[in-house]
Amino acid sequence: MQIQFMDGQKWKSISKERRIYYKPVAATRGNIFSDNGSILATSLPFYRVAFDPTVAKAETFNSGVDSLALLLSRFYGDKSADHYRRKIKNARHSDRRYIRLNSRQINYQDKKMMTRWPIFREGKGRGGVIFEKVEKRFKPFGLLADRTIGFINEDKYGAGLEYSFNSNLTGTDGEALFERIAGGSKPIYDGTDVKPQHGYDIKTTIDINLQDVAENALYKALERTKAEYGCVIMMEVKTGEIKAIANLGKTTGGYTEDYNYAVGNQGRTEPGSTFKLASMMALFEYAPQINLTDTIDTGDGRYRIKNTIMSDSHHGGFGKITVQQVFEKSSNIGVAKLMEANFSQNQRAYVDYLHKFGLSSTLGFQMDGEARPYMKNPQDKNWYGTSLTSMGIGYELKLSPLQTLAFYNAVANNGVKIQPIIVKEIRKADDVIQSFNTRILNEKICSDETLKKLKMMLEGVVENGTAKNIRSADYKVAGKTGTARKVKNGRYVREYSTSFAGYFPADNPKYSCIVIIDSPKGVNVYGGDVAAPVFKELADKAYARDLAMHKPMHARVVPDKESLPLVPAGSFDDLSVILNKMGISNHATAGVDEEWVKVEPQRRSLNFKANPVLQGQVPDVTGMTLRDALFILGNQHLEVRVEGSGKRVHRQSMAPGTEIDKDKTITITLS
């Protein structure tokens, strides 16, 4: 009795306090942009519709409830109008201050439409409608760069940029006052709510056009070869900015971005022959006297090392070939013999070079999950008598594709090894909060003389070697193929990880790129046949859209063409040489013995006529280049004023042949 009558108000107060609580209000997640500002991922608002049926005045409620119930039934299409009418009226009769009308989420346009409905049009305070905001992540380009963009779930588990930059993207939640009521909780708008601080945006280095080409080219190659997975990475040589990164794995429905093979542990494999570049770098650094023209006898393609037989891919072997050809043809025996001849007595030196090149260390990449390289050392228990030569050709060690590419990029970048980056800026609207610039990992990975040899070998692979099928007439490519046997149940099997790594244009590198195609099926399963064509397709696209990479193209004139170039006037000697080189027929009128000439078209040839320059007379400079005109007029002691713009003189203010008066100025107009 005492509790019921004497302490009743106390317990009512406590009960009320426990019904009122602060609930977090999620901040809007930041956007992810491409390099040109296109949105790769954003948060879009969706809503669940709830209702406090006790708020509206009786007149408003009674006159609008039937129409509201009908509209709800038509919109959701799940229950009858009578069902919604009973649900709303029963809640009002029971004094329930919160009901969720439907659990289905609606978009912003639907919300705007509903705010015009009966009762709802009165708003929260007088109508009782509650639009509970729920944000969904949206990717405007669909599955483009899906794994790179990544995800993060409610348990804070995720992958890709969404996970790696979650602390920047997520923002700071606010809080608002809510009341626990039957069926859920209801917000209380008392002015004490704390507004959330929305997340920062991140601007990536991804080029959506190159990304699209990379994914399509990779997808086609995987489907054609029935491979298990593949990846492509393309980045700018000087900046390390990743312009495309595609990852596709085999699923029951085809191929999808299921894992970041380019960066993570599942993509860390024995690189095979692409690692021969590192071995040759170590050889040239250790023994700079080795020349590309030195010869190695690779024999019949089979070579015994301890208790194992090493073989070359070419049946019958390559015989005696140069060091350059060892690399171009990707001769395992050739590389193994070079390794034995130089490092067999100092195997530690070879491994030390690999460490010096940074191949045993992670790159400190911006995205979480970078694989750690695996590399043996001579003091390890599993260092065998064949380990030196096996490592020399890319076995008994593991690298991720990104780590291999960073090494190739260093060669393209004249020995400067830089850290790849995929996020350029963290922004708040137009304000840059943090910038990520090029970071140098090694200012000089090897000597200039070594670099010169390596570049010649890499270009030779595409010009004469295992990747000559991707040679381009428009630009030079430098690179190396790789075909590494895979290990299953502790034994090497006849399944391969194929690859191509390189850069272009070889004479002034703009981009470096690596392609991995794992476990392709079919007859031709070498890196040059499977991975290199993907590189070529992406390189062609990049070259076509980047005019700065294009070399000036000289005009090709067919001698018998109908239309002749406009060459109105100039020096006889200069014009004659130019037209002859262009293959255009030209003739001088009989008796022409002048330095300066006029040119007249005559059928399919050009005819020269004398254009004499006489002392004391105004010369005819129309049709001449500005340089020639200034030269002639200056020699005639005329002051020259130039008007207009263009390459040739269109008209002159003083008539040709008139007598020259001292201190006269001639005006020439260009067009």
Side-chain angles (χ1 to χ4, degrees):
M1 285 295 186
Q2 183 179 7
I3 293 177
Q4 182 177 356
F5 293 105
M6 297 182 61
D7 296 334
Q9 287 300 116
K10 169 186 172 183
W11 291 108
K12 283 182 181 179
S13 176
I14 292 173
S15 173
K16 184 175 181 182
E17 286 177 3
R18 288 179 177 176
R19 291 203 319 269
I20 306 300
Y21 68 102
Y22 280 99
K23 181 179 177 180
V25 177
T28 298
R29 193 169 180 81
N31 301 313
I32 299 176
F33 294 103
S34 71
D35 64 345
N36 69 351
S38 298
I39 294 178
L40 296 176
T42 190
S43 292
L44 296 181
F46 287 82
Y47 305 88
R48 291 192 183 96
V49 184
F51 190 41
D52 181 349
T54 67
V55 169
K57 293 180 179 179
E59 182 181 349
T60 302
F61 183 86
N62 293 331
S63 64
V65 67
D66 290 344
S67 298
L68 177 62
L70 181 62
L71 288 169
L72 288 168
S73 175
R74 288 176 177 174
F75 179 82
Y76 288 114
D78 58 341
K79 304 289 184 181
S80 67
D82 188 54
H83 168 87
Y84 280 105
R85 186 186 305 107
R86 287 198 310 271
K87 181 176 183 177
I88 294 170
K89 283 188 170 183
N90 289 341
R92 183 178 174 91
H93 181 73
S94 304
D95 202 30
R96 289 179 60 191
R97 300 184 61 191
Y98 175 91
I99 57 171
R100 181 171 289 172
L101 294 175
N102 197 293
S103 60
R104 196 177 99 195
Q105 295 175 9
I106 65 171
N107 61 30
Y108 179 72
Q109 294 302 323
D110 293 332
K111 177 196 170 191
K112 284 182 64 177
M113 176 185 68
M114 285 185 174
T115 58
R116 298 191 292 268
W117 288 2
I119 304 178
F120 283 6
R121 68 170 66 104
E122 303 297 326
K124 289 180 294 187
R126 293 186 299 174
V129 65
I130 303 168
F131 292 106
E132 298 174 337
K133 188 176 180 182
V134 179
E135 289 193 337
K136 281 187 177 180
R137 210 61 172 155
F138 176 67
K139 299 175 182 177
F141 291 96
L143 296 178
L144 191 74
D146 189 44
R147 189 67 186 194
T148 302
I149 297 169
F151 67 93
I152 189 162
N153 61 21
E154 293 179 356
D155 298 324
K156 305 303 180 185
Y157 169 77
L161 294 169
E162 294 276 20
Y163 178 73
S164 302
F165 285 83
N166 183 52
S167 61
N168 304 108
L169 291 164
T170 195
T172 304
D173 290 346
E175 60 180 16
L177 200 60
F178 281 76
E179 180 183 1
R180 289 189 181 92
I181 57 179
S185 59
K186 175 187 174 182
I188 299 174
Y189 303 99
D190 67 344
T192 63
D193 58 313
V194 178
K195 293 185 179 298
Q197 298 297 313
H198 299 318
Y200 293 142
D201 301 329
I202 62 174
K203 183 179 181 181
T204 73
T205 61
I206 296 293
D207 182 313
I208 55 175
N209 293 308
L210 294 177
Q211 179 72 28
D212 186 45
V213 175
E215 290 188 15
N216 285 331
L218 180 62
Y219 189 89
K220 287 185 294 185
L222 292 172
E223 279 213 316
R224 185 179 65 252
T225 61
K226 304 295 186 292
E228 291 302 310
Y229 72 83
C231 68
V232 177
I233 319 169
M234 183 180 190
M235 71 180 185
E236 284 187 346
V237 168
K238 300 296 182 185
T239 65
E241 293 184 10
I242 291 177
K243 292 300 169 186
I245 178 168
N247 297 277
L248 293 173
K250 195 173 189 177
T251 62
T252 54
Y255 292 92
T256 186
E257 288 227 344
D258 61 340
Y259 184 80
N260 195 342
Y261 300 100
V263 178
N265 283 314
Q266 289 187 38
R268 186 188 72 163
T269 61
E270 292 176 306
S273 292
T274 54
F275 194 78
K276 289 174 182 174
L277 182 68
S279 296
M280 297 306 295
M281 183 183 286
L283 281 163
F284 292 145
E285 290 289 276
Y286 185 73
Q289 71 276 10
I290 298 175
N291 294 312
L292 298 184
T293 54
D294 293 346
T295 58
I296 307 293
D297 188 358
T298 63
D300 62 358
R302 291 174 62 81
Y303 180 60
R304 177 174 290 276
I305 303 174
K306 303 299 181 181
N307 60 343
T308 64
I309 298 294
M310 180 177 286
S311 61
D312 277 335
S313 59
H314 182 66
H315 182 70
F318 298 112
K320 185 176 286 188
I321 55 178
T322 65
V323 172
Q324 172 86 15
Q325 290 172 321
V326 165
F327 196 78
E328 290 176 353
K329 298 177 184 296
S330 200
S331 170
N332 293 332
I333 294 171
V335 173
K337 285 193 169 184
L338 284 166
M339 296 293 292
E340 284 184 326
N342 291 277
F343 288 118
S344 59
Q345 301 304 311
N346 190 1
Q347 299 185 37
R348 179 76 233 180
Y350 170 65
V351 177
D352 286 344
Y353 275 115
L354 301 183
H355 288 297
K356 175 180 177 290
F357 302 154
L359 290 167
S360 60
S361 304
T362 57
L363 298 166
F365 191 49
Q366 292 170 307
M367 289 171 63
D368 283 20
E370 181 189 356
R372 179 166 292 280
Y374 167 71
M375 201 159 291
K376 285 185 177 181
N377 289 293
Q379 67 269 23
D380 293 343
K381 291 182 179 180
N382 61 347
W383 183 273
Y384 308 116
T386 57
S387 290
L388 174 68
T389 51
S390 290
M391 287 181 68
I393 62 172
Y395 290 92
E396 297 190 36
L397 59 97
K398 291 183 179 181
L399 295 174
S400 73
L402 183 63
Q403 290 155 359
T404 298
L405 179 60
F407 178 71
Y408 272 74
N409 194 80
V411 175
N413 199 24
N414 293 319
V416 182
K417 188 174 183 181
I418 56 179
Q419 183 185 55
I421 62 172
I422 196 167
V423 172
K424 187 70 175 172
E425 293 173 347
I426 297 173
R427 306 176 67 95
K428 182 178 182 180
D430 293 331
D431 297 328
V432 177
I433 304 301
Q434 185 176 0
S435 294
F436 299 95
N437 299 313
T438 304
R439 179 179 165 224
I440 296 175
L441 300 177
N442 189 333
E443 291 187 354
K444 198 66 174 176
I445 200 169
C446 64
S447 69
D448 288 336
E449 185 60 31
T450 294
L451 280 172
K452 184 178 177 181
K453 294 175 182 177
L454 296 175
K455 289 180 178 181
M456 289 180 66
M457 291 193 307
L458 288 166
E459 291 178 33
V461 170
V462 179
E463 291 297 315
N464 311 300
T466 55
K468 61 185 177 183
N469 57 310
I470 67 166
R471 186 170 50 196
S472 173
D474 297 318
Y475 60 94
K476 294 186 73 174
V477 174
K480 182 72 184 74
T481 57
T483 309
R485 292 180 69 174
K486 293 179 67 67
V487 175
K488 288 192 174 180
N489 300 320
R491 298 177 64 87
Y492 285 103
V493 296
R494 293 201 173 276
E495 289 186 21
Y496 302 91
S497 175
T498 68
S499 57
F500 183 86
Y503 53 86
F504 65 96
D507 49 359
N508 185 23
K510 175 70 181 290
Y511 297 108
S512 60
C513 181
I514 188 169
V515 179
I516 307 291
I517 307 287
D518 186 83
S519 303
K521 312 298 188 295
V523 178
N524 297 321
V525 291
Y526 296 104
D529 301 312
V530 179
V534 177
F535 178 102
K536 176 71 159 53
E537 186 171 343
L538 184 54
D540 281 348
K541 176 67 174 180
Y543 181 81
R545 64 195 292 268
D546 193 337
L547 296 179
M549 286 194 289
H550 292 198
K551 293 181 178 179
M553 298 184 68
H554 300 290
R556 299 172 183 174
V557 181
V558 181
D560 61 347
K561 68 179 185 177
E562 292 292 336
S563 58
L564 295 169
L566 179 63
V567 188
S571 163
F572 174 86
D573 291 338
D574 291 345
L575 292 175
S576 180
V577 169
I578 292 170
L579 293 173
N580 286 334
K581 284 190 174 182
M582 293 173 69
I584 296 174
S585 178
N586 59 90
H587 307 281
T589 303
V592 170
D593 189 21
E594 296 288 343
E595 181 182 359
W596 303 98
V597 293
K598 289 281 189 180
V599 183
E600 293 180 346
Q602 191 177 59
R603 293 189 179 181
R604 297 188 181 183
S605 66
L606 294 175
N607 189 39
F608 295 138
K609 291 181 63 178
N611 184 23
V613 177
L614 302 177
Q615 193 64 32
Q617 293 184 11
V618 176
D620 183 3
V621 295
T622 57
M624 291 185 181
T625 63
L626 177 60
R627 182 179 179 185
D628 285 346
L630 292 175
F631 175 78
I632 293 173
L633 296 173
N635 283 339
Q636 294 294 83
H637 306 289
L638 284 166
E639 293 291 325
V640 183
R641 186 160 65 92
V642 181
E643 293 181 345
S645 61
K647 295 183 177 180
R648 293 187 178 272
V649 178
H650 177 60
R651 63 175 177 267
Q652 58 189 68
S653 62
M654 299 171 64
T658 57
E659 191 172 338
I660 297 175
D661 292 333
K662 290 183 179 181
D663 302 322
K664 284 285 186 179
T665 298
I666 184 172
T667 302
I668 58 175
T669 305
L670 303 179
S671 67

